[in-house]
Amino acid sequence: VVSTQSTGTVSRIVVLVHVLLTTSGVAATSYQFIFETGTAEHDEAAKSGYFYTFVGSVSEKGEYDCAGKRGKGETGSCTFTETTDIGELKGLKIRNSGTDSWLVVSMRVKLDGILWGTWQGSQKVSDLTTKSIEFTRSSSAFQFKVTYSIRNDKNAGTQDQQYVKIKGTTGETEEKVCSANFNVINKDVLCILYSNANIGIYRCVYLRTGGSNGLDLTKIKVQVNGTESHTITPQNNAAFIGFDNSETKEFCVEGKLTVRVNCDDHLDLYLDGVQQEDRALKIWNKESTFETTDKLGVIAMKCTNTGGAAGIIGSLHNEAGNVVFYTDTTWKCSSVLEVGWQLPQFQASSKNWQRAAKRGDHGNRIWGFIGKISHEADWIWAVGAQRDTYCRGIVTVRGRLLLSYTFRSVSNYPHTLKHCGVPCKILIEHYMICHKIFGNHH
């Protein structure tokens, strides 16, 4: 804006410069509030003059004038766009700036089109007052925050669009565009994404750049519903994580598993060949618990019976507490000690190794229930063994071997693989691969 000001014979040109600052900040989020007015006399109110403040787990942001319908029994809505990170949306403050009270009886809030939370009740917002409501978050709503730390280099930022997809143990989100400004350096850029996809437990983030302008990052951080789930840094002495030419990169975390075991009487336990230590391993009626990752391949157990009943029992549980593997007659057991029997690469193919003999159900009258070992687990033992038994379990999911393959071509198996990504996970029974599996669509 340029103006001329005169004082006597002196004229001054005043230049007012309005600078639009484009910061890294936060990707814009759309907030839509859908509300219902009561049906009784005098419940209705004016359309405008009701100001909303968003209440988050980190901070508050407002005020916004909501000019939606507020007639008796009417449903109205207001939509706002905000770039401030307030954390997880918890509630709303409503301020009445006039003398026309309003009775709100229900409200829903959608974030980027995803139903985030609901509220029902009877809240009267009287003249010149402020009232608060608290949302109940939808069980199917997830908030994902992905923070990009852009390298301090003049060529590190980009004008290209960036895309994000989140994958979990039971599903994945759709790919979403991050609308934040990435054309900055030495700054954090935050993308907040919402989805109602049931992903289960977080596992991976897929990041894709939409062009060839390049993007260099020093760190990536992922949060799910306010919980920090994954931090990614450059590997192999690299200075940064680079993206270019519409590149997609996948970053995953290892899943956690809990091993629960017991033996009557003394147990030696090996997880992928590494011996585990716990005093309870030598106590015949007490469970031992160990934490490991979902890369676990082989559980090997030696049990020494010092007299009376003899048996081995155990189960494997994921982060959600679900049972994914347990002792049964698919295990291989032997009464003969062989060199390397506990190692993952050992081949239990000699005549000494046979399918385990079942000694009883978990919870039977001999042993009862041991700790939190799965009720589905069986007590097992080597056929004909007296004092010592050696047993091996190839970690499976509910008795089925889980293998991962990367298929170079799927043209020969279009019906079987059309829903699979790459790599494609296939459940294979009986520990063998044959063409019938593809033909029967297992």
Side-chain angles (χ1 to χ4, degrees), residues 206-268:
Y206 295 79
L207 303 179
R208 178 168 71 90
T209 185
S212 58
N213 198 26
L215 177 64
D216 298 341
L217 308 174
T218 57
K219 185 169 64 176
I220 304 163
K221 187 170 68 174
V222 181
Q223 289 180 296
V224 180
N225 287 344
T227 299
E228 188 167 327
S229 302
H230 196 181
T231 299
I232 303 140
T233 55
Q235 300 297 307
N236 301 321
N237 297 318
F240 58 90
I241 305 166
F243 293 82
D244 206 354
N245 297 323
S246 301
E247 186 176 19
T248 299
K249 290 190 176 182
E250 173 189 14
F251 305 93
C252 296
V253 295
E254 294 179 344
K256 296 178 182 179
L257 295 174
T258 300
V259 181
R260 302 182 183 279
V261 292
N262 178 249
C263 132
D264 187 352
D265 292 285
H266 298 160
L267 180 63
D268 293 325

Side-chain angles (χ1 to χ4, degrees), residues 40-330:
E41 201 67 35
H42 306 302
D43 285 353
E44 70 275 13
K47 291 182 179 180
S48 188
Y50 286 85
F51 293 86
Y52 287 6
T53 297
F54 312 155
V55 179
S57 58
V58 175
S59 63
E60 298 181 0
K61 182 63 178 178
E63 292 178 310
Y64 293 91
D65 186 359
C66 176
K69 295 179 180 179
R70 290 190 179 83
K72 186 168 62 175
E74 280 190 319
T75 298
S77 69
C78 293
T79 302
F80 311 105
T81 299
E82 180 53 59
T83 59
T84 301
D85 177 20
I86 65 170
E88 183 178 325
L89 180 66
K90 296 293 188 181
L92 185 68
K93 290 180 180 178
I94 305 172
R95 181 174 67 87
N96 182 355
S97 64
T99 57
D100 191 6
S101 62
W102 172 44
L103 184 72
V104 57
V105 294
S106 73
M107 186 172 291
R108 291 174 290 147
V109 56
K110 292 183 177 181
L111 303 179
D112 287 340
I114 302 298
L115 179 62
W116 176 258
T118 59
W119 171 86
Q120 280 192 316
S122 180
Q123 182 66 272
K124 186 174 184 179
V125 188
S126 302
D127 308 350
L128 303 174
T129 63
T130 298
K131 299 293 183 179
S132 298
I133 62 174
E134 185 174 333
F135 294 114
T136 298
R137 184 168 66 84
S138 170
S139 60
S140 62
F142 290 87
Q143 180 198 63
F144 304 99
K145 290 184 179 181
V146 181
T147 304
Y148 299 71
S149 297
I150 300 181
R151 185 185 181 204
N152 186 16
D153 182 273
K154 65 179 182 179
N155 297 315
T158 182
Q159 296 180 1
D160 295 332
Q161 283 192 319
Q162 303 302 308
Y163 301 84
V164 179
K165 182 168 68 173
I166 305 292
K167 183 179 179 180
T169 54
T170 60
E172 60 186 36
T173 69
E174 61 278 26
E175 186 180 65
K176 296 202 172 188
V177 178
C178 180
S179 59
N181 173 29
F182 286 84
N183 196 21
V184 295
I185 63 172
N186 199 30
K187 290 184 180 294
D188 286 347
V189 177
L190 175 61
C191 289
I192 303 179
L193 309 171
Y194 296 90
S195 177
N196 53 15
N198 180 15
I199 71 162
I201 300 169
Y202 170 84
R203 281 292 177 267
C204 305
V205 59
Y206 295 79
L207 303 179
R208 178 168 71 90
T209 185
S212 58
N213 198 26
L215 177 64
D216 298 341
L217 308 174
T218 57
K219 185 169 64 176
I220 304 163
K221 187 170 68 174
V222 181
Q223 289 180 296
V224 180
N225 287 344
T227 299
E228 188 167 327
S229 302
H230 196 181
T231 299
I232 303 140
T233 55
Q235 300 297 307
N236 301 321
N237 297 318
F240 58 90
I241 305 166
F243 293 82
D244 206 354
N245 297 323
S246 301
E247 186 176 19
T248 299
K249 290 190 176 182
E250 173 189 14
F251 305 93
C252 296
V253 295
E254 294 179 344
K256 296 178 182 179
L257 295 174
T258 300
V259 181
R260 302 182 183 279
V261 292
N262 178 249
C263 132
D264 187 352
D265 292 285
H266 298 160
L267 180 63
D268 293 325
L269 172 68
Y270 301 85
L271 302 180
D272 282 340
V274 179
Q275 187 167 10
Q276 309 298 305
E277 300 292 340
D278 181 28
R279 285 178 54 193
L281 291 171
K282 308 305 179 185
I283 303 175
W284 70 271
N285 60 353
K286 189 172 182 180
E287 169 195 77
S288 291
T289 302
F290 303 90
E291 299 297 325
T292 184
T293 74
D294 58 4
K295 290 186 176 181
L296 179 65
V298 176
I299 300 174
M301 293 190 275
K302 172 192 174 184
C303 184
T304 299
N305 177 32
T306 59
I312 294 172
I313 194 167
S315 56
L316 192 61
H317 305 250
N318 64 18
E319 291 165 275
N322 299 321
V323 180
V324 295
F325 184 56
Y326 45 82
T327 50
D328 59 16
T329 57
T330 65

Side-chain angles (χ1 to χ4, degrees), residues 404-410 413 417 420-426 438:
S404 294
Y405 292 91
T406 299
F407 288 88
R408 299 303 178 189
S409 171
V410 298
Y413 309 104
L417 301 179
C420 291
V422 176
C424 178
K425 291 188 183 297
I426 301 179
F438 298 101

